[in-house]
Amino acid sequence: MSALATEPDAQVAGDLDRAAELLASRPFAVLTGAGVSTDSGIPDYRGEGAPQRTPMTFQQFLASDTHRKRYWAGSHLGYRRFRAAEPNPGHRALAQLESGGALNGVITQNVDGLHTRAGSRKVVDLHGAMDRVLCLNCGQIFARESISARIEEANPWLDQPDAVEIAPDGDAIVTDIDAFVVPDCTVCGGRLKPDVVFFGEFVPAEKFREASALVQRSDALLIAGSSLVVNSGIRLLEQARRRRIPIVIVNRGVTKGDTRATVKLDAGTTETLVELSARLTA
């Protein structure tokens, strides 16, 4: 019985065979996007049916106390749901491939930490991680849990609804933020932000170098659950293309890298990763 939720049609089955052939006996890297975490209950910004959103930019966050109140109130409520998400079989399939020596490591555009929780050891968090908080003044790093505890202590009125609309960055929609007390750095009193790349920010150079080095020492690249709209993903794909190594893309719908893929599977990431893992470890 196939690991796919339903039997793949002839086209998908053929693409799976071809992808498995390309990845077999080649140490490969994987780049993952939001589509890998949708089956864990974390929605995709750009997937089919995704709601229209205008996430706060880094420039807005810096601009005023009002923006920071709105961001932190929503982020706090959303994070409570965000951290409850569990790795899905796709995350675990990648961890299994790494432990078996087939996969060199994971580069992820996600900030949910689910690859690490699934057991992946080599993970490059290209856009940061929601479980860390950074002081923009002195650089001090805090655990998100400690900041959450401070927020709850300073804002006992803050509702904690059972159902919160969240997004891939752990945000939520909150309208009543006037009374919200924003946490500050306990070291220098500076402004805090989750240690993630906001819209309008660049991926840290050292993070991109780490991701680039992982692609450089791999003999194939698997891209899963990313539409490749973000520039950093396209740059990594281009690095692989210039080296003429196989590129396999798994994503429902069109991506910006489809014409450069050796094989494109228009299929769900969870079931496809499980199936690929089964074939590559058989």
Side-chain angles (χ1 to χ4, degrees):
M1 175 67 118
S2 169
L4 293 167
T6 59
E7 287 296 318
D9 61 29
Q11 178 65 50
V12 173
D15 289 341
L16 275 166
D17 289 339
R18 177 64 176 144
E21 289 172 6
L22 288 169
L23 298 176
S25 304
R26 282 187 174 97
F28 64 94
V30 62
L31 169 66
T32 67
V36 169
S37 292
T38 54
D39 286 339
S40 293
I42 298 176
D44 188 349
Y45 273 128
R46 302 180 179 89
E48 185 177 346
Q52 290 288 327
R53 293 187 72 252
T54 53
M56 186 173 295
T57 66
F58 185 53
Q59 291 73 22
Q60 288 173 323
F61 182 83
L62 293 177
S64 71
D65 289 338
T66 299
H67 280 103
R68 286 188 290 277
K69 285 183 177 185
R70 180 171 292 113
Y71 176 82
W72 272 110
S75 182
H76 176 68
L77 289 175
Y79 183 68
R80 296 183 65 84
R81 281 274 308 282
F82 196 73
R83 69 183 179 185
E86 294 292 336
N88 64 54
H91 294 108
R92 291 191 286 272
L94 292 176
Q96 181 181 13
L97 285 167
E98 183 187 8
S99 66
L103 178 62
N104 278 345
V106 176
I107 304 160
T108 186
Q109 297 170 321
N110 301 334
V111 297
D112 50 41
L114 292 178
H115 286 298
T116 299
R117 289 172 56 194
S120 292
R121 296 184 299 275
K122 177 59 179 176
V123 178
V124 181
D125 295 312
L126 202 57
H127 295 164
M130 283 296 291
D131 62 359
R132 300 189 301 265
V133 175
L134 169 71
C135 175
L136 295 175
N137 288 23
C138 71
Q140 178 69 37
I141 298 288
F142 299 89
R144 181 64 181 262
E145 294 302 318
S146 69
I147 300 302
S148 293
R150 289 177 55 198
I151 288 174
E152 290 170 6
E153 182 179 0
N155 301 279
W157 55 269
L158 191 63
D159 289 335
Q160 297 173 8
D162 293 331
V164 175
E165 183 181 346
I166 61 171
D169 58 2
D171 200 3
I173 298 174
V174 179
T175 56
D176 185 14
I177 48 85
D178 289 341
F180 187 81
V181 178
V182 177
D184 58 13
C185 178
T186 54
V187 176
C188 73
R191 292 170 293 184
L192 299 179
K193 70 179 280 285
D195 191 15
V196 299
V197 176
F198 276 37
F199 282 77
E201 275 191 288
F202 293 109
V203 170
E206 64 275 14
K207 278 289 182 185
F208 189 81
R209 283 195 296 268
E210 190 178 354
S212 181
L214 184 53
V215 173
Q216 196 66 32
R217 62 176 180 266
S218 299
D219 293 332
L221 177 64
L222 170 63
I223 299 172
S226 175
S227 58
L228 293 170
V229 171
V230 179
N231 185 52
S232 55
I234 283 290
R235 289 172 64 193
L236 293 170
L237 179 148
E238 270 300 297
Q239 181 180 324
R241 188 192 64 81
R242 287 195 301 269
R243 292 183 54 222
R244 299 185 179 181
I245 63 175
I247 299 168
V248 176
I249 296 179
V250 180
N251 192 69
R252 285 206 184 279
V254 176
T255 83
K256 289 183 71 175
D258 286 355
T259 59
R260 285 169 273 190
T262 314
V263 175
K264 161 66 187 299
L265 290 96
D266 195 335
T269 55
T270 299
E271 57 264 36
T272 305
L273 291 175
V274 169
E275 182 70 22
L276 282 174
S277 178
R279 295 182 185 211
L280 293 172
T281 57

